[in-house]
């Protein structure tokens, strides 16, 4: 931790810390190398999952997300996070409560019961956008931080849904063919590859993974077909939930559909960790369902 | 003059209109009328179903005689609609028409407060009280007549502008046709065929272009833009910028003493020019040189030097030889012409459809716009009329047409309106590929087919019969096969209720239209209004669709809103007719809302002279001291001087300070004066 | 109201059931509720199908978001809330991104799900997530294998969340209890056993 680093309250969510802890570990280390300190947001909970909670009672979703935001307000820090689902809950509820009196009053009525109040004093950022923003980190600084370029690897990007969409409630511009995460990938020395229907959903969201797994996996499988067409060595994303769907989903696809893909799936922070010299063990890549070894062989 | 005349004893008649239920539906008209009776100076108050009807107007005339009225108030609709009607009725009754005042209790009241009858009624009473206060102080005013210059201007040389210019000139009026491009012809000259008749667009347009060029009554000013507009109906002084063309016409050459010189359109210059640029007429799909014509049928057939691209190598000057037509040192030239009336026909541009990311225009090679399709299917276009895929030059067999591409779009990215001619030209495009490419199938993705014109529905029937496939669903997105560059069109066939993923060779986007880039600038120069989406605003959408709120300025064609060629030409003829009326009458009456100097109060400081935006004021010597004098024909009654004058020496006729103060008092004091 | 056919053959009653749309079958308040919860002007839908054309679930199921919009506008509350397809939206927001009427069909679906939940219509997996969060603060809680992995990485076994600071759980539960959500989840799951 350096005195000049920017400080953010680090919202962990569920899947990164509880299923892919390498993402959490690498996010903290790689960000520190880039001048960002991620400080623990003590007592945070599930964001809560927009599909699961928002789908059945939006009021609970607003109030629970607001509680997480207030924890950061009390620290006096903006939130950063590493999951698109969390981004939807935390970013969107923060914006909605800031701009709609009825929603803010409703949430604050409940928060008052636990001596909390949403004030609307902080902003919420996805860590990837902080990396891309030249005022915070920027492509150049990322490239400079690379000690082990991922040369020779063809990496496809899955943006996920809740980071960019709906575009009118976000600030990322083109939601149909964005290229900024490809730029982040290229900064690591890898070759970003384009494939058909890049913006298609992983299939897991909205509670569909739990409601109808075969349906969710069929969507996932379509992405796998499009990725194979262009010969991607790995898929990267900025959402542990998408990662879960693509990584464990491949095992489930094999079980259910009898199709084997074997495509390694890595969170951008895991890639960044590798490129900054972290070892596969330091990233707990052995927890991935799909063997990451073939990809590692290409780059190490 | 300008002495402050007080009406000895104001006697005002108030008439409240029901307008059927338009007003009476939410305002208690009787209550307003009875309230008016209690107001000071009111001699009579009455109400009627339709004040604008003949019996309604008669009521006014009769009351003036019976009650010896000094002023009339009608509480009804907007003065924009019926002020002239009631002024006439006032005059019929023997009063000066400017002793009439209108209270708007419809557009600004009953229509917007439909569900608040009590508040609406109270507001109507306020409006009537305020109008009575002003009417009590109104004076006789005499409108001035000014002569009308026997010349007109048309801005924009597309089919609408050309038609308007021809009509005006044929009616014996000297007409300046101003076109920013080097040639007239406009969008229509870029089209291959026209629906529903399928005649060749250029074939029916070029005779008109020739007529315009040859007409003695038309002064054609191509490569020219409007720079400034001064004056008013009957007497517009328009400054034009003749952009440096670098090529002399035979007449210009002769004026410089070059006998038998000037451009003949031989093209020798073009042949030697080393600079290659994309041709905007071909939407960048074909090259042109730095000295160029758009296409072989341009009018006038005079080359133009693109000075942004020209390297001034001089090869063209050499090639031109004795004709000495090329002047690489040419500069812009400003000229001023005087016209009585003007018609704007500034046309449209294609909305930049790449802003709708989901269809991948400019990202996927084989997604093109409908205008690009026109050029690609046109025999004189960049491919000689062979429709080919930009990615590989292959002939497409399956072509998807995306209708409402950016039209009927409320996202803020596209346009909320219907662009009106896309359905029909897309049907035409479908016909063209069926006709030209054996085995080709057009798939038209539509929400509604709007075939509203004469023989249009029949055309739809014909194209369907020819084999075009219609899919009722808006295209959600397009993805590209990275290998074949084929396109996958995703939509729902809403009639089947099934999503579809259709692989096609080419996609044509029927992109929305928007006002041309120059429209906004031209609008401001002429002082016109525009609607929310930038189209120029007509004086009345139904009853005055060619006129504008600026007297003497008229509209033709798409600049007023999307319309097809027949509607454009019809409106152009209407605008020409309207623009010729003041010219044939020879004089126009100006509303007498001039500023007047109260000389005994004027200190001759001259501050107002510099403030006047119309240059209507001057300081003159009178009885040994300086006083301000107004040129009434130039004054627009804006009130800038009157509001500023430190000595209160300027009297704004019809909007005089005491009149306005009386209105404010009447409002604030609630009538209990 | 649909005509009731008291034919003795139940199969024929089903085959020949009255399929007319009757305005009297519709609840005009339904669309207003959808709009209020979804914060979108759903009644402005013009049925272009951009939503279904964008939908990753549509090609592999009978889920048609356009039809849900249509039925909501017509007030066909019963049909909407009891349709199992309601739960096939992945909330990818592609339809919302592209809707030319600037509506948020995704949020309209979320609103319809909220309204279904009010009538105890909800898939079990949603309720299990509620229970998990109530218990641990996490929808996907920690486990032993993960704890071991975290330790190897030099992280605390429990993340800096309600896992490590369970003292925050009562506050979280108070929020959930305020809306009686856990109570309801327990009840519905028990009833389904």
């Amino acid at each position: 931790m350096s005195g000049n680093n920017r400080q953010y309250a680090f919202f962990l969510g569920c899947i990164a810390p509880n299923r892919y802890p390498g993402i959490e570990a690498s996010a903290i280390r790689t960000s520190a190398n880039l001048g960002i300190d991620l400080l623990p947001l003590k007592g945070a909970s599930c964001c809560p999952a927009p599909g699961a909670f928002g789908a059945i009672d939006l009021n609970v979703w607003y109030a629970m997300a607001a509680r997480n935001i207030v924890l950061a307000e009390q620290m006096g820090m903006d939130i950063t996070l590493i999951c698109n689902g969390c981004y939807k809950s935390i970013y969107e509820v923060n914006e909605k409560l800031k701009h709609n009196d009825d929603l803010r009053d409703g949430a604050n009525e409940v928060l008052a019961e636990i001596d909390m109040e949403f004030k609307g004093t902080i902003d919420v950022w996805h860590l990837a956008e902080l990396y891309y923003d030249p005022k915070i980190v920027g492509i150049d600084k990322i490239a400079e931080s690379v000690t082990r370029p991922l040369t020779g690897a063809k990496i496809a990007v899955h943006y996920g849904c809740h980071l960019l969409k709906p575009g009118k409630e976000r600030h990322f511009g083109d939601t149909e063919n964005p290229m900024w995460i490809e730029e982040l990938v290229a900064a690591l020395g890898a070759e970003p590859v384009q494939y058909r229907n890049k913006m298609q959903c992983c299939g897991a969201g909205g509670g569909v993974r739990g409601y109808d797994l075969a349906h969710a996996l069929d969507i996932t499988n379509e992405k796998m077909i499009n990725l194979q067409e262009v010969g991607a060595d790995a898929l990267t994303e900025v959402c542990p939930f998408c990662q879960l769907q693509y990584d464990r989903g491949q095992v489930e696809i094999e079980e259910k559909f009898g199709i084997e893909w074997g495509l390694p799936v890595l969170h951008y922070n895991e890639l960044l960790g590798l490129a900054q010299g972290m070892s596969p063990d330091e990233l707990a890549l052995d927890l991935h369902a799909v063997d990451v070894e073939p990809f590692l062989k290409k780059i190490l | 003059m300008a002495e402050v005349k007080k009406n000895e004893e104001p006697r005002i008649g108030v008439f409240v209109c029901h307008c059927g239920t338009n007003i009476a539906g939410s305002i208690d008209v009787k209550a307003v009328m009875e309230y008016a009776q209690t107001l000071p100076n009111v001699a009579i108050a009455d109400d009627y179903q339709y004040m604008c009807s003949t019996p309604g107007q008669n009521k006014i005339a009769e009351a003036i005689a019976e009650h010896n009225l000094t002023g009339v108030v009608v509480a009804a609709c907007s003065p924009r609609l019926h002020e002239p009607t009631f002024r006439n009725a006032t005059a019929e009754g023997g009063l000066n028409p400017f002793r009439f005042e209108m209270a708007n209790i419809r557009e600004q009241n009953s229509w917007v407060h439909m569900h608040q009858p009590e508040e609406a009624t109270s507001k109507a009473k306020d409006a009537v009280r305020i109008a009575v206060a002003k009417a009590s102080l109104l004076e006789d005013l005499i409108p001035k007549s000014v002569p009308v210059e026997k010349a007109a201007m048309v801005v924009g040389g597309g089919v609408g502008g050309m038609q308007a210019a021809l009509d005006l000139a044929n009616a014996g009026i000297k007409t300046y046709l101003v076109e920013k491009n080097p040639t007239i012809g406009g969008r229509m000259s870029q089209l291959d065929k026209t629906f529903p008749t399928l005649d060749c667009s250029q074939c029916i347009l070029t005779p008109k272009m020739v007529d315009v060029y040859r007409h003695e009554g038309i002064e054609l000013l191509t490569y020219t833009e409007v720079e400034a507009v001064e004056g008013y109906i009957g007497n517009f002084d328009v400054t034009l910028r003749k952009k440096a063309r670098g090529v002399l016409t035979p007449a210009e050459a002769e004026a410089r003493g070059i006998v038998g010189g000037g451009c003949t359109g031989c093209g020798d210059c073009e042949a030697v020019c080393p600079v290659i640029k994309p041709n905007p007429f071909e939407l960048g799909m074909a090259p042109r040189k730095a000295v160029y014509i758009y296409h072989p049928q341009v009018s006038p057939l005079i080359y133009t030097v693109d000075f942004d691209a020209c390297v001034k190598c001089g090869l063209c000057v050499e090639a031109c030889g004795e004709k000495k037509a090329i002047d690489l040192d040419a500069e812009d030239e400003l000229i001023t012409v005087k016209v009585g009336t003007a018609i704007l026909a500034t046309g449209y541009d294609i909305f930049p459809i790449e802003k709708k990311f989901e269809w991948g225009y400019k990202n996927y090679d084989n997604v093109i716009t409908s205008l690009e399709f026109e050029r690609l299917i046109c025999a004189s276009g960049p491919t000689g009329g062979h429709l080919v895929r930009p990615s590989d030059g292959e002939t497409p067999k399956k072509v998807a047409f995306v209708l409402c591409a950016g039209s009927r779009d409320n996202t803020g990215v596209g346009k909320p309106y219907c662009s009106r001619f896309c359905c029909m030209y897309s049907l035409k495009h479908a016909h063209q590929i069926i006709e030209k490419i054996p085995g080709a199938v057009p798939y038209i993705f539509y929400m509604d087919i709007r075939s509203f014109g004469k023989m249009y529905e029949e055309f739809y029937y014909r194209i369907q019969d020819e084999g075009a496939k219609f899919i009722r669903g808006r295209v959600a997105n397009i993805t590209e096969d990275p290998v074949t560059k084929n396109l996958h069109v995703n939509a729902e066939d809403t009639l089947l209720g099934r999503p579809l993923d259709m692989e096609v060779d080419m996609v044509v986007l029927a992109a929305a239209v928007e006002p041309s880039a120059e429209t906004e600038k031209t609008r401001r120069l002429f002082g016109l209004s525009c609607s929310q989406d930038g189209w120029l605003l007509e004086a009345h959408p139904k009853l005055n669709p060619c006129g504008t709120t600026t007297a003497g300025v008229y509209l033709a064609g798409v600049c007023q809103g999307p319309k097809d060629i027949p509607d454009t030409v019809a409106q152009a003829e209407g605008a020409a007719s309207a623009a010729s009326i003041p010219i044939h009458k020879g004089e126009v009456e100006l509303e007498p809302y001039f500023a007047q100097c109260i000389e005994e109060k004027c200190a001759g400081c001259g501050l107002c002279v510099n403030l006047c935006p119309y240059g209507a004021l001057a300081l003159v010597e009178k009885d040994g001291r300086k006083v301000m004098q107004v040129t009434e024909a130039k004054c627009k009654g804006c009130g800038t001087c009157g509001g500023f004058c430190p000595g209160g020496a300027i009297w704004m006729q019809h909007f005089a300070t005491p009149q306005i103060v009386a209105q404010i008092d009447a409002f604030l004091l609630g009538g209990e004066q | 109201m649909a005509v009731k056919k008291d034919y003795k053959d139940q199969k024929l009653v089903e085959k020949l059931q009255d399929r007319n749309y009757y305005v009297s079958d519709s609840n005009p308040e339904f669309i207003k509720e959808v709009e209020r919860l979804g914060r979108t002007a759903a009644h402005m839908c013009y049925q272009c199908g951009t939503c279904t054309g964008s939908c990753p679930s549509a090609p592999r199921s009978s889920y048609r978001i356009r039809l849900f919009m249509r039925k909501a506008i017509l007030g066909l509350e019963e049909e909407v809330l009891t349709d199992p397809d309601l739960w096939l939206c992945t909330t990818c927001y592609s339809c919302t991104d592209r809707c030319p009427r600037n509506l948020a069909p995704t949020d309209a679906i979320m609103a319809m799900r909220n309204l279904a939940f009010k009538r105890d219509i909800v898939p079990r997996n949603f309720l299990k997530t509620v229970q998990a969060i109530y218990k641990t603060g996490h929808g996907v809680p920690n486990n032993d294998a993960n704890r071991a992995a975290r330790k190897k990485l030099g992280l605390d076994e429990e993340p800096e969340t309600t896992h490590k600071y369970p003292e925050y759980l009562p506050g979280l539960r108070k929020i959930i209890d305020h809306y009686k959500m856990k109570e309801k989840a327990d009840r519905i799951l028990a009833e389904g056993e």
Side-chain angles (χ1 to χ4, degrees):
Chain A
M1 199 179 284
S2 140
N4 293 328
N5 281 5
R6 288 171 183 268
Q7 299 191 324
Y8 291 87
F10 187 28
F11 182 82
L12 290 170
C14 298
I15 297 173
N18 297 333
R19 292 297 178 271
Y20 296 105
I23 301 176
E24 177 184 338
S26 67
I28 294 169
R29 256 178 76 178
T30 56
S31 298
N33 291 339
L34 297 167
I36 292 179
D37 290 335
L38 302 179
L39 304 181
L41 185 57
K42 290 176 186 167
S45 68
C46 177
C47 56
F53 260 72
I56 54 176
D57 194 333
L58 285 158
N59 290 322
V60 186
W61 182 60
Y62 293 131
M64 282 179 64
R67 189 195 76 97
N68 285 323
I69 295 164
V70 171
L71 292 174
E73 285 185 353
Q74 289 169 349
M75 289 168 74
M77 275 180 204
D78 281 4
I79 289 178
T80 189
L81 40 77
I82 46 176
C83 167
N84 291 358
C86 299
Y87 186 78
K88 176 167 174 70
S89 294
I90 305 293
Y91 172 83
E92 206 167 292
V93 170
N94 192 40
E95 292 301 307
K96 284 201 156 103
L97 264 47
K98 274 186 187 180
H99 298 118
N100 297 282
D101 293 350
D102 60 326
L103 293 181
R104 188 176 55 245
D105 294 349
N108 274 336
E109 199 187 309
V110 190
L111 290 175
E113 290 177 20
I114 54 170
D115 297 323
M116 282 180 130
E117 186 192 357
F118 174 91
K119 295 200 172 84
T121 51
I122 62 152
D123 290 321
V124 178
W125 311 94
H126 196 295
L127 190 54
E129 66 174 314
L130 298 182
Y131 286 171
Y132 186 69
D133 186 344
K135 294 193 289 296
I136 312 284
V137 178
I139 296 291
D140 293 344
K141 211 165 163 191
I142 300 245
E144 282 163 26
S145 78
V146 171
T147 56
R148 181 169 59 200
L150 310 182
T151 318
K154 286 167 81 174
I155 300 179
V157 176
H158 170 78
Y159 280 78
C161 299
H162 294 151
L163 177 59
L164 268 54
K165 294 184 280 187
K168 51 200 159 204
E169 291 180 24
R170 301 287 192 270
H171 45 268
F172 293 96
D174 185 352
T175 57
E176 297 285 350
N177 190 26
M179 291 298 286
W180 59 276
I181 298 185
E182 275 85 346
E183 287 181 53
L184 287 171
V185 168
L188 308 182
E191 181 198 340
V193 287
Q194 294 300 305
Y195 59 100
R196 194 162 92 76
N197 213 1
K198 178 167 88 179
M199 293 312 291
Q200 194 186 32
C201 173
C202 68
V208 175
R209 181 179 162 81
Y211 176 61
D212 186 343
L213 182 60
H215 181 101
L217 292 173
D218 192 44
I219 298 175
T220 311
N221 193 55
E222 190 180 322
K223 172 87 65 169
M224 290 296 141
I225 294 169
N226 290 332
L227 287 170
Q228 200 200 32
E229 260 179 17
V230 296
D233 297 316
L235 176 67
T236 189
E237 27 58 39
V238 290
C239 175
F241 193 45
C242 297
Q243 173 158 325
L244 188 83
Q245 180 66 7
Y246 287 124
D247 183 41
R248 302 211 169 170
Q250 286 186 59
V251 176
E252 291 155 347
I253 284 173
E254 198 180 336
E255 282 167 15
K256 273 196 192 294
F257 306 153
I259 297 172
E260 197 182 336
W261 293 106
L263 180 72
V265 182
L266 293 102
H267 192 280
Y268 181 75
N269 271 107
E270 294 177 323
L271 285 184
L272 182 59
L274 287 170
Q276 287 187 356
M278 288 173 79
S279 72
D281 281 349
E282 287 173 304
L283 294 162
L285 293 184
D286 55 322
L287 289 183
H288 283 233
V290 175
D291 191 3
V292 184
E293 215 39 56
F295 172 72
L296 294 177
K297 278 205 182 109
K298 253 206 150 131
I299 56 154
L300 295 182
Chain B
M1 65 153 284
E3 67 189 281
V4 183
K5 289 182 288 183
K6 277 261 182 305
N7 290 311
E8 300 272 294
E9 228 179 273
R11 298 176 57 76
I12 310 298
V14 178
F15 303 88
V16 188
C17 181
H18 294 243
C19 197
T21 55
N22 270 307
I23 292 170
S26 39
I27 290 174
D28 183 344
V29 170
K30 282 274 182 255
V32 175
M33 187 270 284
E34 281 159 16
Y35 170 77
Q37 286 171 335
T38 69
L39 292 172
N41 299 336
V42 172
I44 179 199
D46 202 352
D47 66 286
Y48 193 65
Q49 275 292 319
Y50 294 100
M51 280 306 296
C52 58
S53 66
T54 306
Q57 294 187 52
N58 288 343
K59 268 181 183 291
I60 296 172
E62 285 159 16
I64 290 170
E66 190 178 331
H67 299 276
N68 190 26
L69 298 180
T70 63
V72 172
V73 169
V74 175
C77 51
S78 161
R80 293 262 316 262
L81 211 64
H82 272 310
E83 190 175 63
T85 313
F86 297 125
R87 275 194 179 153
N88 285 339
T90 305
E92 293 257 311
L95 265 185
N96 180 288
F98 292 91
R99 285 179 174 269
F100 165 75
E101 180 68 16
M102 197 146 184
N104 181 347
I105 60 168
R106 194 179 75 166
E107 283 83 344
Q108 293 171 350
N109 191 336
S110 66
W111 279 356
V112 282
H113 307 301
M114 221 170 272
H115 305 295
Q116 301 140 286
E118 269 175 43
E119 289 89 341
T121 303
S122 158
K123 185 173 167 181
K125 288 177 183 174
D126 288 345
V128 167
R129 185 174 72 248
I130 293 164
V132 168
K134 181 168 181 189
S136 303
L137 298 176
L138 286 174
E139 301 170 338
D140 291 357
L141 293 175
I142 311 297
K144 293 249 168 188
S145 284
V146 294
V148 176
E149 183 73 24
K150 202 172 157 55
M153 173 172 292
V154 178
V155 183
V159 65
M162 290 197 296
Q163 185 64 50
L166 282 170
D167 282 11
L168 286 165
N170 285 335
I173 295 164
K174 160 87 177 175
T175 303
Y176 300 92
L177 177 56
V178 179
E179 166 58 49
K180 69 173 191 299
N181 286 320
T183 175
I184 52 172
R187 289 281 169 224
M188 190 177 164
S189 61
Q190 288 179 291
L191 309 181
D192 182 40
K193 288 183 175 179
T194 60
F195 60 80
T197 46
L198 295 174
D199 17 31
C200 154
S201 186
Q202 280 282 42
C203 306
I204 56 174
L205 188 67
T206 41
K208 243 185 222 311
M209 290 164 68
V210 172
D211 286 351
V212 168
Y213 180 64
R214 293 229 171 109
H215 205 295
E216 283 188 349
I218 296 177
E219 186 167 338
L220 182 55
L221 295 153
T222 51
Y223 214 47
T224 300
E225 287 178 19
V226 179
E227 185 80 8
V229 181
E230 278 178 33
Y232 47 92
I233 180 171
N235 299 277
F236 290 108
D237 292 304
V238 185
T239 306
L240 300 169
R241 176 178 294 273
K242 291 181 75 173
K243 294 180 281 186
R245 189 166 198 149
V247 179
L248 303 176
T249 64
E252 286 164 343
E254 202 173 311
R256 290 195 186 185
I258 308 163
V259 180
C263 183
T264 60
C266 68
D268 290 349
C269 53
E270 185 181 10
V272 298
C273 177
V275 181
I276 293 178
K277 291 261 292 177
N279 185 352
F281 181 81
E282 301 291 0
L283 307 166
M285 295 185 294
R288 69 159 162 80
K289 298 294 188 64
V291 56
Y292 66 96
I293 52 172
Y294 272 177
H295 56 88
Q297 287 142 300
V298 293
S299 183
L301 178 55
I302 301 289
Y303 272 76
T304 303
V305 178
D306 175 356
F307 282 107
D308 290 336
C310 174
V311 294
K312 301 211 173 177
C313 65
L315 286 173
C316 54
V317 179
E318 227 169 87
C320 190
E322 283 311 298
K323 296 192 289 291
K324 292 185 179 165
I326 296 176
D327 172 11
L328 294 181
D329 299 320
E331 284 182 355
D332 288 5
E333 193 188 332
L334 293 179
I335 59 169
T336 303
V337 299
K338 198 175 196 59
V339 296
T341 56
I343 293 172
L344 303 193
T346 50
Y348 69 95
D349 286 335
I350 296 283
F351 163 72
I353 196 64
E354 64 272 20
K355 286 187 185 169
K356 297 293 290 183
F357 299 119
E358 55 264 51
W359 298 316
Y361 178 64
K362 287 197 173 167
N363 193 11
Y364 306 145
D365 291 345
N366 295 325
V367 176
I368 64 171
T369 67
S370 46
L371 201 54
E372 286 167 341
F373 181 95
E374 291 286 349
R375 295 316 300 153
L376 289 173
I377 203 82
C378 181
S380 66
T383 57
H386 298 288
L387 182 68
V388 293
R389 281 157 46 105
S391 70
D392 52 15
E394 293 292 317
T395 304
K397 285 288 169 71
K398 283 174 82 174
V399 182
F401 292 89
V402 179
L403 269 54
C404 296
S407 302
R408 303 176 70 191
D409 178 315
N410 301 89
T411 61
V413 178
K415 304 292 177 181
Y417 46 80
C418 166
S419 292
R420 278 186 97 233
F421 42 86
C422 336
C423 281
M424 292 308 297
Y425 71 57
S426 294
L427 290 172
K428 180 198 68 177
H429 290 169
H431 162 83
Q432 286 174 296
I433 65 167
I434 291 171
E435 185 183 50
K436 281 203 165 181
I437 305 169
V441 186
Y443 293 89
I444 297 178
F445 290 84
Y446 73 102
M447 289 195 276
D448 307 280
I449 294 290
R450 296 188 167 174
S451 53
F452 54 90
K454 187 174 177 181
M455 296 303 287
Y456 288 9
E457 185 64 22
E458 293 86 335
F459 189 67
Y460 176 20
Y461 183 96
R462 171 179 169 184
I463 306 312
Q464 191 173 2
D465 191 33
E466 284 177 354
K469 302 278 181 264
F470 291 84
I471 294 157
R472 199 277 175 197
R474 186 175 171 280
V475 172
N477 72 319
I478 295 167
T479 59
E480 184 189 57
D481 186 315
V483 181
T484 62
K485 302 284 177 186
N486 285 348
L487 302 159
H488 290 259
V489 177
N490 291 299
E492 183 191 4
D493 184 324
T494 58
L495 302 179
L496 275 184
R498 275 163 66 178
L500 64 86
D501 172 346
M502 183 186 286
E503 188 172 349
V504 297
D505 304 323
M506 177 179 256
V507 172
V508 183
L509 302 175
V513 295
E514 63 180 16
S516 65
E518 299 73 22
T519 305
E520 178 61 18
K521 181 189 148 207
T522 315
R523 172 183 87 75
R524 288 179 182 277
L525 291 174
F526 282 93
L528 306 189
S529 307
C530 64
S531 48
Q532 241 178 355
D533 34 38
W535 302 112
L536 300 184
L537 198 64
E538 63 286 338
H540 189 281
K542 291 172 184 67
L543 304 178
N544 196 353
C546 299
T548 67
T549 46
T550 302
V553 182
Y554 309 88
L555 304 175
V558 182
C559 68
Q560 181 252 342
K563 54 180 69 67
D564 56 14
I565 295 168
D567 283 2
T568 291
V569 173
Q571 195 188 18
E573 301 211 271
S577 165
S580 69
I581 292 169
I583 292 173
H584 286 315
K585 267 175 85 177
E587 58 173 33
V588 286
E589 236 176 40
L590 301 181
E591 287 193 312
Y593 305 152
F594 320 122
Q596 296 287 310
C597 179
I598 306 168
E599 285 170 6
E600 52 271 31
K601 286 192 186 174
C602 178
C605 70
L607 285 170
C608 56
V609 175
N610 296 327
L611 282 171
C612 176
Y614 305 102
L617 312 181
L619 281 186
V620 294
E621 282 278 330
K622 223 171 191 179
D623 306 330
R625 65 188 189 100
K626 283 195 168 164
V627 291
M628 184 272 273
Q629 195 175 57
V630 183
T631 305
E632 291 176 350
K634 282 189 178 176
C635 174
K636 297 216 169 198
C638 70
T640 307
C641 58
F644 191 82
C645 178
I650 296 175
W651 179 262
M652 301 304 307
Q653 291 195 150
H654 209 64
F655 296 95
T657 305
Q659 294 167 350
I660 291 171
V661 169
Q663 287 179 289
I664 296 169
D665 282 349
F667 174 63
L668 294 176
L669 298 175
E672 294 154 33
Q673 295 175 40
Chain C
M1 273 296 235
V3 176
K4 264 203 168 153
K5 299 178 181 175
D6 295 325
Y7 305 156
K8 62 183 175 196
D9 184 339
Q10 193 51 40
K11 270 188 185 155
L12 283 177
V13 170
E14 249 167 60
K15 174 178 152 61
L16 302 171
Q17 66 175 284
D18 184 354
R19 286 173 167 83
N20 278 316
Y21 163 69
Y22 291 94
V23 176
S24 53
D25 292 339
S26 82
N27 173 10
E29 293 306 308
F30 183 62
I31 183 72
K32 291 181 192 161
E33 273 298 283
V34 169
E35 294 198 344
R36 187 180 65 79
L37 286 167
R39 305 178 83 82
T40 185
H43 71 282
M44 291 309 296
C45 171
Y46 62 16
Q47 293 286 302
C48 65
T50 299
C51 47
T52 306
S54 300
C55 180
S57 281
R60 44 188 50 82
S61 72
S62 53
Y63 172 54
R64 300 289 175 266
I65 185 161
R66 176 183 57 81
L67 276 178
F68 274 99
M69 296 295 280
R70 182 80 191 131
K71 287 172 182 172
I73 291 169
L74 291 177
L76 297 173
E77 182 180 8
E78 193 64 29
E79 223 173 289
V80 164
L81 299 187
T82 57
D83 188 339
D85 286 350
L86 180 59
W87 305 91
L88 283 179
C89 169
T90 67
T91 68
C92 77
Y93 281 89
S94 295
C95 54
T96 301
D97 229 32
R98 294 175 186 150
C99 173
R101 277 278 161 111
N102 216 27
L103 308 179
T106 318
D107 291 336
I109 289 290
M110 290 300 108
M112 292 181 223
R113 286 183 178 182
N114 273 229
L115 293 170
F117 181 63
K118 280 191 180 157
R119 291 172 48 173
D120 291 359
I121 305 169
V122 58
R124 298 172 68 81
N125 63 298
F126 287 80
L127 303 176
K128 287 183 174 157
T129 308
V130 172
Q131 288 180 330
I133 293 181
Y134 194 86
K135 193 172 161 204
T136 68
H138 283 286
V140 181
N142 208 351
N143 58 33
D144 285 341
N146 191 64
R147 283 188 194 97
R150 291 183 63 87
K151 208 172 168 186
K152 257 174 66 188
L153 292 174
L155 297 168
D156 281 348
E157 281 193 355
E158 299 294 350
E160 304 275 337
T161 62
T162 47
H163 272 330
K164 189 167 164 187
Y165 306 100
E167 60 268 32
Y168 283 90
L169 278 173
L172 184 72
R173 288 172 185 155
K174 234 177 184 170
I175 292 175
I176 299 173
D177 287 337
H178 178 94
Y179 296 101
K180 302 194 169 42
M181 196 187 220
K182 163 72 165 33
E183 205 181 302
K184 193 167 169 181
D186 288 347
R187 176 175 56 75
I188 298 172
L189 282 173
E191 282 167 7
E193 293 289 301

